[in-house]
Amino acid sequence: MTTCSRSRCVCPDTDLMDVLASRYTMQLVCIVDAHGTVRFSELESHLPDASTSTLSTRLRALVDRGILAREQYDEVPPRVEYELTRDGRSLARRTRSLLSWVDRNS
């Protein structure tokens, strides 16, 4: 919970805030929100400057925090798909206005 007074504002210092503040995390949430179910290769194509390792780390953190669901299919070649969880959809809804503001002010 955030506590604010006229002179000071204290934001929560949690692991979740660290995850959300990491590079590419909000872009991943937005991409999955826009497309529904997304494969890893599709995410890579949307974020060409991100390394495979970084994307894997961010996706794992989002899955661990309950923002994304990961489905792995036993196929050759292996197929993995990501989609937003209920909490992920809630996060995406709440960030749309912030992202619109960023777009207008960039």
Side-chain angles (χ1 to χ4, degrees), residues 12-75:
D13 182 23
T14 67
D15 291 338
L16 180 57
M17 290 298 289
D18 291 339
V19 169
L20 296 177
S22 297
R23 188 169 186 189
Y24 303 117
T25 298
M26 294 312 300
Q27 290 96 325
L28 288 168
V29 170
C30 292
I31 293 164
V32 178
D33 182 42
H35 294 280
T37 302
V38 183
R39 294 177 75 169
F40 187 85
S41 60
E42 294 173 276
L43 294 169
E44 283 184 308
S45 69
H46 283 284
L47 298 167
D49 294 337
S51 71
T52 300
S53 173
T54 298
L55 286 181
S56 294
T57 299
R58 298 299 180 266
L59 290 166
R60 190 176 316 111
L62 288 168
V63 169
D64 290 347
R65 297 303 302 186
I67 303 299
L68 291 179
R70 180 183 188 271
E71 181 79 29
Q72 181 171 342
Y73 298 90
D74 292 328
E75 299 174 354

Side-chain angles (χ1 to χ4, degrees), residues 59-102:
L59 290 166
R60 190 176 316 111
L62 288 168
V63 169
D64 290 347
R65 297 303 302 186
I67 303 299
L68 291 179
R70 180 183 188 271
E71 181 79 29
Q72 181 171 342
Y73 298 90
D74 292 328
E75 299 174 354
V76 176
R79 177 170 54 118
V80 177
E81 295 178 340
Y82 296 90
E83 66 181 329
L84 293 173
T85 62
R86 189 168 94 189
D87 284 343
R89 289 188 300 275
S90 175
L91 172 63
R93 273 194 313 275
R94 286 167 170 74
T95 59
R96 287 183 195 132
S97 60
L98 173 62
L99 296 173
S100 294
W101 182 88
V102 168

